[in-house]
Amino acid sequence: MAEHPAHERPVTLIVVDDHPVVRDGLRGMFESAAGFQVLGEAADGTAGVELATRLDPDVVLMDLRMPGGGGVAAIAELSRRGARSRVLVLTTYDTDSDTLPAIEAGATGYLLKDAPREELFTAVRAAAQGRTVLSPAVASRLVSHVRAPAAPGSEGLSAREREVLELVAKGTSNRAIARELFISEATVKTHLTHVFGKLGAKDRAAAVALAYERGILG
């Protein structure tokens, strides 16, 4: 383990990823560098929330798609609990359906797993200071998303709400939606409640019909 100068407090972090090899690699990388201290690891978002609540790290390195509890739901739960820890997403996915919900949920930064180690070190230090960190690919996508005109009638729906609605339109059950998006069934119901309210729909069928009518779907 690298030694830290007595006058400098190391940046503390935990690693949340379902792949043991990834966790081992990240732990080894950070423990061999000066200025970092890895406090623990978790294999899914649910365990990550409990670990972050108990250990109070400066930064949570969070994967997104994990069996047993996805990253977006975990980020939202940490935000709901008022956690001090900053969440830096570290994933292989950079689609709008991944990046936007994570940032909307409260992630401080979003990096891809092919980032060079020095870029990752810099990002963790920046996240610990509360600064936003985005990989160039993700930043470009976000700028494009902000500049793109919204479809009529869809202004109020978040990317995740549209994603849930698309699956509802295919006849997917709440439980299957939860599995596909790696979120809890309760979170699916929350998204649907928001969709119903924003569209003025009384149920799933009405929401889908209104979404097609307004050009949100199809």
Side-chain angles (χ1 to χ4, degrees), residues 75-158:
I75 296 166
E77 178 61 17
L78 287 170
S79 297
R80 189 189 68 78
R81 295 187 183 191
R84 184 188 67 85
S85 306
R86 309 287 184 172
V87 180
L88 179 60
V89 173
L90 186 63
T91 180
T92 55
Y93 305 101
D94 66 346
T95 64
D96 287 352
S97 62
D98 292 300
T99 57
L100 296 177
I103 292 171
E104 287 170 353
T108 298
Y110 198 111
L111 281 187
L112 301 181
K113 284 181 176 174
D114 60 0
R117 58 188 292 155
E118 288 304 325
E119 183 179 334
L120 183 55
F121 291 160
T122 300
V124 169
R125 293 189 188 99
Q129 296 169 2
R131 289 188 281 135
T132 300
V133 183
L134 297 173
S135 72
V138 173
S140 177
R141 281 183 174 278
L142 286 177
V143 169
S144 298
H145 179 81
V146 170
R147 288 176 176 170
S154 68
E155 292 85 353
L157 296 189
S158 69

Side-chain angles (χ1 to χ4, degrees), residues 21 32 41 74 82 87 102 106 113 117 120 125 150 167 176 178 193 212:
V21 172
S32 67
E41 305 169 11
V87 180
K113 284 181 176 174
R117 58 188 292 155
L120 183 55
R125 293 189 188 99
L167 291 169
T193 299
Y212 277 114

Side-chain angles (χ1 to χ4, degrees), residues 150-157 162 165 194-202 206-218:
S154 68
E155 292 85 353
L157 296 189
R162 286 197 297 275
L165 190 57
H194 293 163
V195 169
F196 294 167
K198 291 176 179 178
L199 295 180
K202 63 180 181 181
V208 170
L210 286 168
Y212 277 114
E213 181 181 315
R214 298 176 187 176
I216 299 170
L217 297 178

Side-chain angles (χ1 to χ4, degrees), residues 17-32:
D17 197 297
D18 57 322
H19 294 103
V21 172
V22 174
R23 296 199 303 272
D24 288 347
L26 289 170
R27 176 185 278 276
M29 192 169 73
F30 279 98
E31 288 187 342
S32 67

